[in-house]
Amino acid sequence: TGRDNTSDGSGGWVQAENVLDSSLLGQADVRFRIAFGSDGSVNDDGFAFDDFMIEPIPAADPGIVGLAQPAGSFGCFGNNETLVLDIDNSGIDTIDFSMDSLVVSLVVSGANTGTYDTVLTTGTIGPGQVVGVDLTGVNLSNVGTSTLDFSLTFVGDGDSTNNDLSVSLITQPIIATYPYFEDFEGGEGGWVSTGFNNTWAYGTPNKETIQGAGSGSNAWVTG
């Protein structure tokens, strides 16, 4: 299986893994095939390969698939959030957590800070299976961007390269009083911009037509 999502990884890098059929043993050549998107588009930077490795499939290989909850990268988070981290087993044997426990750790930094651990001591995860692990009581109430660093610790892990994940979450303010007014002079105001080929940016407009903000010096501007 492979992952192809530019929101994963760092700097556009993503990790892809594929199981090689035993019929390929002894083959001297490796060929990469690039599959474009449905519209045939590709970023101007092109493609790159690095850190290529061929290794036997380990007996036990728990790894992080991704953050399942929250599904988005921003929201009005509180001080008692439950995060769900998807983990899988890329090994060939079923992992029994009653025999060997799995520790899921989370370190939060940035607008919010904290350290959280969940220890799995019951249940199993078979080869190729994905299960969700809850991390409860996470405080994300402070407005701003927080970095969430997840890691796994498991005795007998055959491959530790898939044990870490770093994501960013933006906590937005809850609007509870009206009229609501935001002039963006104190910051981005909890606003975020997303979308394909997104060009919205926060700062001082300096365009051919839009020069300067409506008031003060900062605004959200595109172009």
Side-chain angles (χ1 to χ4, degrees):
T1 59
R3 293 196 299 270
D4 184 11
N5 184 345
T6 54
S7 65
D8 262 348
S10 175
W13 288 97
V14 296
Q15 178 177 313
E17 300 176 356
N18 288 277
V19 178
L20 302 179
D21 188 90
S22 59
S23 64
L24 298 175
L25 290 174
Q27 296 292 328
D29 299 323
V30 175
R31 176 181 296 177
F32 292 100
R33 176 177 295 173
I34 303 299
F36 292 91
S38 59
D39 60 355
S41 63
V42 61
N43 292 334
D44 292 339
D45 287 348
F47 298 92
F49 293 100
D50 199 6
D51 299 333
F52 176 77
M53 178 171 57
I54 298 177
E55 62 177 351
I57 299 177
D61 181 19
I64 298 177
V65 177
L67 185 62
Q69 180 180 316
S73 60
F74 54 88
C76 298
F77 304 118
N79 61 1
N80 190 27
E81 294 290 334
T82 296
L83 308 185
V84 180
L85 186 70
D86 278 345
I87 64 172
D88 67 357
N89 177 16
S90 297
I92 59 177
D93 293 341
T94 296
I95 299 174
D96 187 345
F97 297 123
S98 66
M99 301 293 292
D100 295 295
S101 60
L102 174 73
V103 180
V104 181
S105 299
L106 166 63
V107 176
V108 182
S109 59
N112 295 273
T113 59
T115 301
Y116 308 88
D117 289 322
T118 294
V119 182
L120 298 185
T121 58
T122 60
T124 62
I125 178 172
Q129 185 181 2
V130 177
V131 297
V133 178
D134 292 353
L135 291 105
T136 60
V138 180
N139 182 9
L140 297 173
S141 60
N142 293 330
V143 174
T145 301
S146 300
T147 299
L148 281 62
D149 292 311
F150 297 91
S151 62
L152 303 182
T153 303
F154 180 75
V155 176
D157 192 348
D159 180 9
S160 61
T161 62
N162 55 357
N163 287 10
D164 300 289
L165 174 69
S166 182
V167 299
S168 294
L169 290 181
I170 300 175
T171 300
Q172 297 174 289
I174 298 175
I175 308 303
T177 59
Y178 298 92
Y180 166 72
F181 175 77
E182 177 60 67
D183 61 3
F184 305 109
E185 296 307 310
E188 299 178 1
W191 289 34
V192 296
S193 59
T194 62
F196 185 70
N197 286 334
N198 171 45
T199 62
W200 285 96
Y202 167 78
T204 301
N206 188 23
K207 304 292 182 178
E208 181 176 348
T209 301
I210 304 176
Q211 297 184 359
S215 66
S217 59
N218 296 318
W220 279 91
V221 63
T222 188

